[in-house]
Amino acid sequence: MPAISRREFLKYSAMSAAAAGLFSVGALELRANPLGLPIGCQTWAVREMIAKDFPATIKLLAETGFRALSYARR
């Protein structure tokens, strides 16, 4: 493998970074929900918030993107 100068290395690195930047523009179109299924949340993690203010907690979960809830009865 031939030796590469520092200048060439920096040039190739900058070109690679620019190419990666151009290709990543399409990444903005990626969806967090590729299967089209509702994203859910288990209520155990927010049980104390639910006990204090149920409607506000459900509203907060909906605003963050959760569309389904899973709970366990005890």
Side-chain angles (χ1 to χ4, degrees):
M1 185 160 115
I4 184 170
S5 71
R6 186 176 295 167
R7 182 173 289 168
E8 289 179 65
F9 173 77
L10 291 174
K11 181 176 78 171
Y12 292 135
S13 297
M15 288 187 336
S16 297
L22 288 175
F23 288 124
S24 69
V25 170
L28 296 175
E29 298 174 4
L30 293 178
R31 295 178 16 188
N33 187 5
L35 299 177
L37 299 173
I39 296 175
C41 172
Q42 292 185 347
T43 57
W44 180 258
V46 292
R47 66 189 180 280
E48 293 173 1
M49 292 173 60
I50 287 175
K52 291 178 184 174
D53 191 0
F54 181 78
T57 304
I58 298 304
K59 183 178 177 186
L60 177 67
L61 290 172
E63 288 173 354
T64 55
F66 293 109
R67 298 292 175 245
L69 294 177
S70 171
Y71 65 95
R73 296 181 205 183
R74 288 189 176 213

